[in-house]
Amino acid sequence: MFDVKRHSATILSFPFTFVIFAFFVVPLCLVVMVSFWDYNSYSIIPDFIFTNYQDIFYGCVKSLPDLCTSFATYISSLKFVFITWLITLLTGFLVALFLSFCVSSLQMQIVLFLLCTIPFWTSNVIRMISWIPLLGRNGLVNSTMQNVGLTDSPAEWLLYSEFSVILAFVHLYTLFMVVPIFNSMMRIDRSLIEAAHDAGASSFQTLTNIIIPLSRPGIIIGSIFVITIVMGDFITIGVMGGQQIPSVGKIINVEMTYLQFPAAAANAVILIITTLMIIFAMTKLVDIRKEL
C-alpha cells in the first residue's frame, strides 16, 4: 500500500519539478536540438550537422594569430562582465556593510533599503535611457564640464562608448549584489564582532577575518546574479553603445532577426556553456546549499 506520509516530500516536489522541466529543461533541450539543424534564407531544415558550430570557430583558425570576430566578441562580452562584476561587488559590499553595521536602527535600515529599491519600481529601459540626456553632447554633464572650464568641447566618450555601457550596467544591476550580501551580513552573529574588538582586532582585521569570510555566500550568489544577467544583456549594450559595440547577445539577436535560428541556437549554447563554467568555478569557492 502506498504510504502518503512517507512520500509526502516527493509528492510536494512534483509541481516544482513539472515547472522546472516544462519551462527550463524542455526549452534548453530544444535550443540544443535546433543548434544542429540546417537552414536557408527562408526556412530551417531538421538535420544533424555541425556546420553552425564550425561557422563560429572556423574563422578563428584562419585568422590566427589575430583574434577572429567570434572570439573577439566573446572577449568583449567577458570584459564587460568582469568590469561590471568588480564594480558592483565593491559598491554592493560597501552599501551592504553600511546598512548592516553602520545603521543601528532597524527602521532606518528598512527605510534606506527601500531607497535602494526605488529605482527598480521603473522599467530598466527607462532607467537606462535616462542617462542619455545627462551624458549627451549637449547634456548636463558636458555642459557643466564646459562651464567650469574642465573641457573646451563636449566629451565624446561619455555616451555611446564602453564607459556608458558599464555605467548603465552598474546602475541597473548593483542591487542584485546588495541584497544577497546584505542578507549574509545580517546573519552574522554580532557577538563575533564584539569578541574580535575585545581581543584587540582592528576594524580592518575584523573586516577581513570575520565579515568578508562570513559574507562569502552572499557575494557568490550576488556574483552569479550579475554575471548571468550581464552575459545575456544585449539591449543595454546596443542602446548605450550606439549599436557599435559587439556582444554575443547582439549576435544572437541579429541572427534571430534574419531567421537564422540554428546559428543563433549554436551561439546560445556556447554562451550558456561559458556562463555555466563561470558559475561552476564560483560555486566551488563555497557550498551555497550548505550555507543557505
Side-chain angles (χ1 to χ4, degrees):
M1 185 176 179
F2 184 75
D3 189 351
V4 177
K5 292 184 178 180
R6 182 179 179 183
H7 297 86
S8 59
T10 304
I11 296 174
L12 292 174
S13 67
F14 280 158
F16 302 100
T17 303
F18 174 76
V19 170
I20 293 176
F21 183 80
F23 296 101
F24 179 75
V25 177
V26 173
L28 183 60
C29 292
L30 290 175
V31 171
V32 175
M33 180 180 66
V34 173
S35 68
F36 293 99
W37 286 8
D38 197 1
Y39 67 95
N40 51 37
S41 58
Y42 54 88
S43 65
I44 58 177
I45 305 167
D47 203 343
F48 187 77
I49 58 175
F50 295 92
T51 305
N52 300 314
Y53 293 95
Q54 292 174 354
D55 291 341
I56 296 174
F57 295 106
Y58 180 68
C60 296
V61 178
K62 294 179 61 177
S63 61
L64 290 176
D66 298 326
L67 295 179
C68 65
T69 302
S70 300
F71 192 67
T73 302
Y74 275 90
I75 292 296
S76 175
S77 298
L78 290 174
K79 179 181 66 175
F80 284 121
V81 168
F82 176 76
I83 297 176
T84 303
W85 167 78
L86 184 61
I87 297 176
T88 55
L89 175 60
L90 294 176
T91 306
F93 185 86
L94 292 177
V95 171
L97 184 67
F98 174 78
L99 292 176
S100 301
F101 296 98
C102 299
V103 180
S104 57
S105 172
L106 178 61
Q107 289 76 14
M108 185 57 64
Q109 285 180 337
I110 295 175
V111 170
L112 294 177
F113 193 82
L114 287 176
L115 288 177
C116 294
T117 63
I118 285 178
F120 277 74
W121 297 356
T122 59
S123 169
N124 276 12
V125 177
I126 295 176
R127 287 187 288 141
M128 175 178 55
I129 294 177
S130 64
W131 285 104
I132 295 178
L134 295 175
L135 304 178
R137 287 179 55 87
N138 300 316
L140 178 63
V141 176
N142 267 317
S143 300
T144 303
M145 292 172 63
Q146 293 179 75
N147 291 335
V148 300
L150 293 177
T151 58
D152 297 328
S153 59
E156 301 290 346
W157 56 269
L158 288 176
L159 187 61
Y160 303 138
S161 62
E162 294 184 355
F163 169 80
S164 60
V165 171
I166 294 172
L167 180 65
F169 276 146
V170 172
H171 176 214
L172 293 175
Y173 304 129
T174 297
L175 189 62
F176 287 97
M177 191 71 77
V178 173
V179 173
I181 297 177
F182 175 74
N183 181 57
S184 293
M185 287 184 177
M186 290 300 294
R187 296 169 59 189
I188 297 176
D189 189 351
R190 294 309 190 263
S191 62
L192 296 175
I193 308 297
E194 296 176 1
H197 287 307
D198 293 340
S202 64
S203 299
F204 180 76
Q205 290 174 326
T206 303
L207 176 67
T208 55
N209 293 309
I210 296 178
I211 297 177
I212 292 180
L214 294 179
S215 302
R216 191 166 57 177
I219 294 174
I220 298 299
I221 294 173
S223 299
I224 292 174
F225 284 155
V226 172
I227 289 173
T228 53
I229 296 174
V230 175
M231 281 290 285
D233 191 328
F234 63 92
I235 297 178
T236 303
I237 294 180
V239 174
M240 300 305 294
Q243 304 297 337
Q244 301 173 5
I245 299 176
S247 71
V248 181
K250 186 187 295 185
I251 291 178
I252 296 174
N253 179 59
V254 171
E255 289 173 338
M256 294 182 65
T257 302
Y258 288 98
L259 305 181
Q260 299 174 357
F261 295 113
N267 272 298
V269 170
I270 296 175
L271 181 62
I272 291 172
I273 293 175
T274 304
T275 306
L276 289 177
M277 290 173 60
I278 296 174
I279 295 175
F280 179 78
M282 299 189 70
T283 54
K284 288 298 180 182
L285 299 176
V286 61
D287 189 348
I288 296 178
R289 294 181 60 183
K290 181 179 179 181
E291 296 293 340
L292 292 177

